[in-house]
């Protein structure tokens, strides 16, 4: 294992603050009456200098400019000489020279040390890694950053009718990606004391206390990277973004747009002071999503040379957002009846649990849909951790109300928003964070079939409007958000410490 020669940033800041303490003491002495307290302060200054020198010597390999040792010796001698004048009168001219040398030392110190930032990512579900991956890459590519990933368990919790049931998930999806990680039982943040910690899970109810924002913030600057793109403003989204504990304890929150920051300014306890508008790092794979990949062998025979549709359903079948019970059978039958089109079905990972635990009466319906897809010549179920492959392989999206809608807009491909007729009539949203009302919508099986037919014939009626909204509401989606987040946070860190 390579031993880093650079000084930890936290130690670098600690020593710089000791220099500030020296300057404050010298300035106090300069303005004082020269009484006993001044000489006590000078004695304290000598102790601080000794500690500074000892620490710098023990980190000598990180000191680029050795002149700071010579200047520190001069400052120590000045303090010692001034101590020798006790009872004879304070030489204020020498105190002035001492202050000048301390200020000079601080300037020299800023550029004399090779430092390293300790950065830790707390990762959980593989489906959420895209919210962190480009930021992780940006820090990993810097020579001055020591980066680690801690894999934490997550509880998929569902509350229906007051009954909460959970599934515990702790899967190593990082190793196949070539990313080394630390098992959560082997990590102690109180001993590591990282400079920055990143999370994408804001929910305390689904993870262990060691990963709660309140406990992370005791030992590090916490940065929250939202794992989904918000589309609307309503009471639920205000609660999720502005009133959860993470908002209070996060040092910085990465926001998708100025509109999101404005929401924080209005509703959050810190009024947006800890919010940085950069766009979401999960948008950084935009160019990759537009590429046509090589189809996996098990998909090739079913999708090749067909117009491919991606179907995404909401897992809460009792909600107004899920249309699985209303349109699921019709969608499967539609694709079964046509040989010129193909379907990638990507059910929300919680859907299976919902049917098993809460709606056993619909389990035959659910199993029947899966069996029909399995037996078909032109349909597949996508169980991959990432939706990237499904995005790349598909030519259009059919979806319930979901964060995938906004992400798929970045592919510039057509989208059909599935809605229940009554829900579509209601005005539920205060505002749109991303104006998804520009998307085509369907409230019947006939409208779904009509959309599929148009796309199959190459007709994308809303493309111009959709691209305009995408550029206006997601202007920072340029593939470089992770780099911006990395650079901005390090700048903020230095600014905070006056370095």
């Amino acid at each position: 294992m390579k031993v880093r020669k650079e000084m930890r940033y936290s130690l670098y800041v600690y020593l710089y603050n000791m220099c500030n303490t020296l300057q404050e003491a010298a300035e106090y002495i300069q303005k004082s009456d020269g009484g006993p307290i001044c000489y006590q302060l000078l004695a304290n200054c000598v102790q601080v200098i000794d500690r500074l020198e000892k620490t710098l010597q023990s980190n000598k390999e990180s000191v680029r400019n050795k002149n700071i040792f010579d200047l520190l010796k001069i400052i120590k001698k000045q303090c010692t000489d001034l101590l020798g004048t006790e009872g004879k009168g304070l030489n204020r001219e020498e105190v002035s020279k001492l202050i000048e040398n301390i200020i000079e030392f601080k300037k020299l110190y800023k550029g004399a040390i090779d430092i390293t930032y300790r950065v830790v990512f707390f990762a959980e579900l593989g489906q959420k890694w895209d919210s962190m991956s480009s930021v992780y890459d940006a820090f990993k590519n810097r020579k001055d950053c020591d980066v680690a990933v801690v894999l934490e368990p997550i509880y998929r919790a569902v509350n229906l009718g007051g009954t909460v049931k959970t599934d515990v998930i702790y899967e190593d999806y990082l190793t196949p990606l070539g990313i080394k990680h630390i098992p959560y039982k082997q990590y102690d943040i109180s001993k590591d004391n990282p400079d920055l910690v990143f999370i994408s899970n804001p929910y305390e109810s689904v993870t262990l206390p060691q990963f709660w924002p309140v406990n992370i913030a005791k030992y590090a600057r916490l940065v929250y990277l939202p794992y989904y793109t918000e589309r609307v403003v309503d009471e639920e989204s205000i609660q999720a973004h502005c009133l959860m504990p993470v908002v209070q304890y996060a040092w910085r929150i990465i926001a998708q747009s100025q509109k999101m920051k404005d929401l924080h300014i209005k509703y959050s306890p810190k009024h947006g002071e800890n919010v940085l508008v950069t766009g979401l790092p999960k948008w950084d794979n935009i160019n990759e999503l537009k590429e046509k990949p090589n189809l996996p062998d098990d998909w090739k025979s079913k999708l090749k040379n067909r117009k491919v549709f991606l179907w995404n359903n909401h897992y809460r079948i009792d909600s107004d957002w899920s249309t699985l019970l209303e349109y699921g059978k019709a969608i499967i039958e539609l694709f079964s009846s046509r040989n010129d089109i193909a379907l990638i079905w990507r059910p929300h990972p919680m859907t299976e649990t919902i049917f098993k635990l809460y709606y056993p009466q619909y389990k035959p319906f659910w199993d029947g849909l899966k069996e029909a897809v399995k037996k078909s010549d032109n349909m597949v179920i996508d169980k991959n951790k990432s939706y990237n492959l499904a995005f790349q392989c598909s030519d259009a999206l059919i979806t319930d109300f979901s964060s995938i809608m906004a992400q798929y807009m970045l592919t510039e491909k057509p989208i059909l928003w599935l809605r229940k007729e009554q829900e579509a009539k209601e005005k539920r949203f205060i505002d749109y964070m991303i104006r998804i009302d520009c998307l085509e919508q369907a409230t019947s099986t006939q409208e779904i079939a009509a959309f599929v037919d148009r796309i199959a014939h190459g007709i994308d009626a809303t493309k111009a409007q959709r691209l305009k909204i995408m550029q206006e509401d997601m202007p920072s989606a340029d593939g470089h958000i992770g780099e911006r987040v990395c650079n901005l946070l390090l700048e903020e860190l230095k600014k905070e410490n006056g370095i």
Side-chain angles (χ1 to χ4, degrees):
M1 183 178 176
K2 180 184 175 183
V3 179
R4 300 187 70 94
K5 296 180 180 179
E6 299 86 352
M7 181 185 289
R8 279 281 293 266
Y9 178 73
S10 55
L11 178 59
Y12 172 78
V13 172
Y14 175 72
L15 296 183
Y16 186 75
N17 288 334
M18 287 173 68
C19 298
N20 287 333
T21 300
L22 280 175
Q23 182 178 341
E24 289 168 7
E27 288 173 346
Y28 177 87
I29 292 167
Q30 178 73 295
K31 295 174 183 176
S32 71
D33 60 2
I37 191 171
C38 293
Y39 292 94
Q40 181 58 54
L41 279 174
L42 282 167
N44 292 342
C45 285
V46 172
Q47 292 177 355
V48 169
I49 293 166
D50 285 340
R51 198 180 313 152
L52 260 172
E53 185 176 24
K54 183 179 179 181
T55 307
L56 286 170
Q57 286 289 355
S58 64
N59 288 268
K60 200 169 184 178
E61 289 182 319
S62 69
V63 180
R64 191 186 313 119
N65 189 338
K66 307 301 180 184
N67 291 334
I68 64 171
F69 290 109
D70 297 330
L71 186 51
L72 199 56
K73 283 183 172 63
I74 292 171
I75 293 170
K76 182 178 179 180
K77 186 176 185 306
Q78 286 179 304
C79 290
T80 304
D81 289 346
L82 284 165
L83 267 172
T85 66
E86 188 172 6
K88 302 174 186 177
L90 188 67
N91 188 331
R92 297 187 185 278
E93 187 177 339
E94 287 302 315
V95 176
S96 295
K97 290 178 181 178
L98 172 63
I99 294 170
E100 289 174 7
N101 281 334
I102 293 172
I103 292 172
E104 181 60 29
F105 180 83
K106 284 172 61 180
K107 289 178 182 177
L108 197 60
Y109 175 82
K110 284 184 179 183
I113 311 295
D114 289 324
I115 60 174
T116 183
Y117 301 92
R118 177 63 167 171
V119 181
V120 178
F121 292 80
F122 288 162
E124 23 106 0
L125 291 177
Q127 292 90 336
K128 294 181 182 179
W129 177 244
D130 66 342
S131 64
M132 293 184 161
S133 59
S134 68
V135 181
Y136 167 82
D137 290 339
F139 277 101
K140 195 72 176 173
N141 289 335
R142 291 183 63 115
K143 293 180 180 179
D144 60 353
C145 291
D146 180 18
V147 183
V149 180
V150 177
L151 185 61
E152 63 172 293
I154 199 79
Y155 309 101
R156 276 216 181 98
V158 181
N159 186 336
L160 291 177
T163 302
V164 178
K165 295 186 179 181
T166 61
D167 286 335
V168 181
I169 300 170
Y170 187 63
E171 298 175 355
D172 176 14
Y173 59 89
L174 295 166
T175 300
L177 296 175
I179 300 171
K180 294 180 180 179
H181 71 276
I182 303 169
Y184 74 99
K185 290 183 179 179
Q186 296 177 20
Y187 183 77
D188 186 343
I189 192 173
S190 67
K191 293 179 181 177
D192 191 24
N193 282 306
D195 298 300
L196 296 173
V197 167
F198 291 87
I199 66 168
S200 61
N201 169 40
Y203 311 115
E204 295 182 350
S205 60
V206 298
T207 193
L208 298 171
Q210 74 183 87
F211 300 107
W212 291 359
V214 61
N215 293 326
I216 297 171
K218 294 174 184 176
Y219 303 101
R221 293 166 186 83
L222 173 62
V223 182
Y224 172 47
L225 301 170
Y227 69 91
Y228 67 96
T229 305
E230 188 56 89
R231 300 124 290 157
V232 300
V233 179
D234 59 10
E235 290 184 7
E236 186 176 337
S237 63
I238 291 170
Q239 173 68 35
H241 292 287
C242 302
L243 299 174
M244 295 188 71
V246 69
V247 179
Q248 179 67 37
Y249 295 108
W251 176 66
R252 294 294 181 267
I253 296 169
I254 301 305
Q256 67 186 62
S257 65
Q258 182 59 43
K259 202 165 187 178
M260 178 60 77
K261 180 164 185 173
D262 291 342
L263 203 68
H264 278 269
I265 290 171
K266 186 173 182 180
Y267 294 105
S268 76
K270 291 193 174 180
H271 305 292
E273 291 177 4
N274 56 346
V275 176
L276 284 180
V277 178
T278 63
L280 297 183
K282 70 184 284 101
W283 300 347
D284 276 341
N285 61 356
I286 172 176
N287 293 321
E288 179 185 341
L289 297 181
K290 292 179 182 178
E291 296 174 1
K292 279 280 187 181
N294 293 322
L295 292 172
D297 290 338
D298 56 338
W299 288 19
K300 197 169 291 184
S301 61
K302 291 193 172 189
L303 306 185
K304 195 172 182 182
N305 299 324
R306 290 183 169 104
K307 189 72 75 170
V308 180
F309 293 79
L310 170 61
W311 174 32
N312 167 65
N313 70 267
H314 196 286
Y315 74 92
R316 285 287 303 272
I317 64 171
D318 66 329
S319 73
D320 289 335
W321 311 128
S322 174
T323 64
L324 182 60
L325 296 179
E326 285 75 14
Y327 306 138
K329 184 179 178 183
I331 289 172
I332 296 300
E333 290 177 347
L334 171 63
F335 281 85
S336 297
S337 68
R338 294 185 60 160
N339 196 43
D340 60 327
I341 58 176
L343 181 70
I344 300 171
W345 182 20
R346 186 175 174 84
H348 188 284
M350 274 299 295
T351 313
E352 182 84 31
T353 301
I354 287 291
F355 279 109
K356 279 183 180 179
L357 300 181
Y358 293 98
Y359 297 103
Q361 68 270 32
Y362 293 124
K363 188 71 165 45
F365 166 80
W366 168 248
D367 290 337
L369 293 184
K370 292 191 297 179
E371 187 64 22
V373 171
K374 183 179 178 181
K375 290 180 177 178
S376 74
D377 296 324
N378 64 341
M379 292 184 279
V380 297
I381 296 178
D382 179 19
K383 296 180 180 179
N384 291 303
K385 295 292 181 191
S386 169
Y387 51 63
N388 284 11
L389 182 62
F391 275 34
Q392 291 171 299
C393 292
S394 59
D395 299 293
L397 172 67
I398 300 171
T399 182
D400 289 342
F401 181 74
S402 165
S403 61
I404 278 182
M405 303 163 87
Q407 195 76 2
Y408 199 84
M409 286 177 73
L410 298 174
T411 69
E412 303 182 2
K413 300 172 186 176
I415 302 171
L416 180 66
W417 178 4
L418 300 180
R419 309 185 73 176
K420 296 177 182 178
E421 190 171 0
Q422 182 59 36
E423 182 273 323
K425 290 178 181 178
E426 297 175 1
K427 293 184 178 179
R428 293 190 155 204
F429 309 133
I430 299 170
D431 197 0
Y432 284 97
M433 195 64 65
I434 294 175
R435 288 165 287 173
I436 55 173
D437 54 336
C438 72
L439 305 177
E440 292 198 55
Q441 300 178 30
T443 56
S444 69
T445 56
Q446 292 81 7
E447 289 174 343
I448 296 171
F451 171 81
V452 169
D453 197 53
R454 285 195 300 274
I455 301 306
H457 288 88
I459 302 170
D460 183 1
T462 62
K463 184 171 185 176
Q465 184 183 9
R466 202 171 61 244
L467 294 184
K468 181 175 180 291
I469 296 299
M470 182 189 77
Q471 290 161 3
E472 291 175 355
D473 291 358
M474 294 186 278
S476 55
D478 59 359
H480 300 287
I481 298 170
E483 297 166 34
R484 284 202 295 277
V485 169
C486 172
N487 294 334
L488 268 173
L489 291 177
L490 292 182
E491 287 174 16
E492 294 271 308
L493 204 54
K494 292 175 185 176
K495 191 192 306 178
E496 179 180 82
N497 294 297
I499 297 175

